[in-house]
Amino acid sequence: MSSYLCAIGTANPTHVIPQPQIATFMAEALQLDDNEARKLRALYRVTGIGQRYSVLADYSRSNGEFDFFPNTPDLEPFPSVGQRMAVYRECALPLSVRAAQDCLRQVPEVTLASITHLITVSCTGMYAPGLDLELVQKLGLRPNVQRTCVNFMGCYAAFNALKLADAFCKADAGANVLIVSTELCTIHFQKNQEEDHLVSNALFGDGSAAALVRAVPAATGASLELAAFHCGIEPNGHADMAWHINDFGFEMTLSSYVPRLIQKGIRELTDGLLENLPVQLPDIQHFAIHPGGRKILETIEQELGLTTHDNRFAYQVLRDYGNMSSATVLFVLHELLQSLTAPDRDAPVLSFAFGPGLTLEAMLLKVAFGDN
């Protein structure tokens, strides 16, 4: 029995902020001198990001006009975890609802009453009763929908949600699984001049993606069969990508060594995925790679012999949205799905995502149409 990714919907906050404007905010917030500010702007220019979205308007404003951060030269008293979680509780639900509605309108044969499972994914906020229950009530899902939460796993967490959805559909051919991945990364800005924090502040944005997984393809348009999964761990990267809850928000560690660690593990990860499948790397026609950063994409291209055209959907998402943690790879898959036409039928698709641990996830999909 197979399962299919039938539709993906996306949503972003209303505040879209050009990358140079965010760099100006950061330079002022960190109280950098002219030389340090120049270096910071250079870092922002090489990210490959043109703009990012945030639930906070402050990143497009000057000190004295802030709504969330204090209007003081050093932003003190710096917002607490509680203040940041209050923003998450206020903003995560409407964003998630928009993504879910965008997803479900693409598959009119699936009604709200027919959704059997709801999987929520997030690492940027938690509360209880949580986003899962609020989504049930706001969307009008049936009260006995089976709810599962995938929390605090970082950028690869959507893969775990897809694995769960795959298992649910294989256990019940009538299952309709709605995945909602919502990340508000920008509420966790850290006022720290260490390199890891400077890099994190330059990459992350806010967004939500919703996906529908069923045991049959969508009636119209392209779907993606979930053909195989494989996971690897690079233990030497345990401290190079991490996510900790501290007094003033969630703190991301993102070392400059991460691309090097992925370079060491990506070929083994790919070989492990394809080892027992009738597909080899030269057979892969489409790629959906989590754009954790421009250097990560370039490293994978070098190791696997890919071109920037192969990686075009990842670069497009990175440019237009930045890294939205777990939602990002679903945005990439959304762009891929929109591009598929009848000649792509049965074409294999290779997808990767990476996160704390250092965890490396791989997935093989196959293009399908409703009349397969």
Side-chain angles (χ1 to χ4, degrees):
M1 186 184 296
S2 298
S3 64
Y4 297 86
L5 178 53
C6 296
I8 299 173
T10 63
N12 295 93
T14 56
H15 306 297
V16 54
I17 309 165
Q19 186 78 329
Q21 191 170 6
I22 303 176
T24 296
F25 169 91
M26 293 295 175
E28 294 176 355
L30 296 171
Q31 298 181 293
L32 302 181
D33 61 31
D34 290 345
N35 185 51
E36 291 169 331
R38 188 165 51 251
K39 291 179 180 177
L40 186 73
R41 291 190 178 93
L43 168 65
Y44 276 60
R45 283 195 299 272
V46 300
T47 59
I49 298 170
Q51 61 184 29
R52 287 181 278 163
Y53 290 80
S54 176
V55 295
L56 301 177
D58 289 4
Y59 293 108
S60 62
R61 296 174 175 174
S62 299
N63 199 313
E65 303 172 335
F66 295 157
D67 290 330
F68 179 69
F69 294 108
N71 287 289
T72 58
D74 57 0
L75 302 187
E76 294 294 341
F78 206 45
S80 65
V81 172
Q83 290 171 295
R84 297 171 198 255
M85 289 300 95
V87 173
Y88 184 91
R89 289 194 301 273
E90 177 185 352
C91 298
L93 178 63
L95 200 61
S96 301
V97 168
R98 284 172 47 207
Q101 291 173 337
D102 183 37
C103 173
L104 293 173
R105 74 167 59 99
Q106 300 171 43
V107 196
E109 67 268 26
V110 177
T111 64
L112 288 168
S114 70
I115 298 296
T116 58
H117 298 73
L118 173 66
I119 303 172
T120 56
V121 185
S122 189
C123 69
T124 49
M126 287 177 284
Y127 58 99
L131 181 60
D132 58 325
L133 186 57
E134 291 184 347
L135 272 171
V136 170
Q137 296 168 338
K138 192 70 174 179
L139 289 173
L141 303 180
R142 63 195 200 196
N144 65 339
V145 66
Q146 297 187 43
R147 293 177 285 126
T148 306
C149 302
V150 178
N151 294 127
F152 221 69
M153 301 191 79
C155 295
Y156 67 90
F159 274 58
N160 278 16
L162 289 168
K163 290 177 188 177
L164 285 168
D166 179 57
F168 293 152
C169 290
K170 287 178 176 175
D172 177 5
N176 290 316
V177 185
L178 179 63
I179 298 169
V180 181
S181 172
T182 300
E183 303 289 11
L184 306 185
C185 303
T186 67
I187 66 176
H188 295 294
F189 160 56
Q190 295 300 308
K191 194 181 59 172
N192 190 313
Q193 295 189 36
E194 293 180 6
E195 182 182 6
D196 291 353
H197 290 280
L198 294 178
V199 171
S200 298
N201 291 336
L203 294 178
F204 287 92
D206 299 347
S208 178
L212 181 72
V213 179
R214 309 179 70 203
V216 294
T220 59
S223 296
L224 293 170
E225 180 183 353
L226 303 177
F229 298 91
H230 186 71
C231 178
I233 298 174
E234 179 52 62
N236 291 331
H238 184 80
D240 290 283
M241 188 184 292
W243 191 227
H244 300 288
I245 301 176
N246 286 314
D247 293 341
F248 298 99
F250 299 178
E251 293 188 13
M252 163 64 78
T253 299
L254 189 60
S255 162
S256 60
Y257 291 105
V258 168
R260 196 177 309 172
L261 293 163
I262 291 174
Q263 181 180 30
K264 287 175 57 181
I266 196 67
R267 172 62 72 169
E268 182 179 351
L269 180 73
T270 305
D271 290 345
L273 173 70
L274 302 178
E275 183 177 11
N276 298 313
L277 299 174
V279 177
Q280 298 303 313
L281 185 57
D283 302 322
I284 307 296
Q285 298 181 33
H286 302 288
F287 296 85
I289 299 174
H290 167 68
R294 183 180 60 82
K295 185 63 176 175
I296 288 175
L297 296 177
E298 293 173 348
T299 297
I300 294 171
E301 290 166 8
Q302 293 165 8
E303 286 302 298
L304 300 185
L306 308 184
T307 67
T308 54
H309 180 74
D310 292 329
N311 240 350
R312 63 193 180 280
F313 301 116
Y315 282 115
Q316 178 181 336
V317 169
L318 182 65
R319 180 194 68 219
D320 294 343
Y321 304 97
N323 183 345
M324 299 166 286
S325 192
S326 68
T328 319
V329 73
L330 293 176
F331 271 69
V332 178
L333 286 163
H334 171 265
E335 295 300 325
L336 170 64
L337 262 177
Q338 300 305 305
S339 75
L340 296 172
T341 58
D344 294 302
R345 184 188 301 271
D346 295 327
V349 178
L350 182 58
S351 184
F352 297 121
F354 318 98
L358 178 75
T359 302
L360 303 95
E361 290 277 356
M363 174 173 57
L364 184 72
L365 309 101
K366 188 170 71 172
V367 180
F369 287 86
D371 59 349
N372 271 24

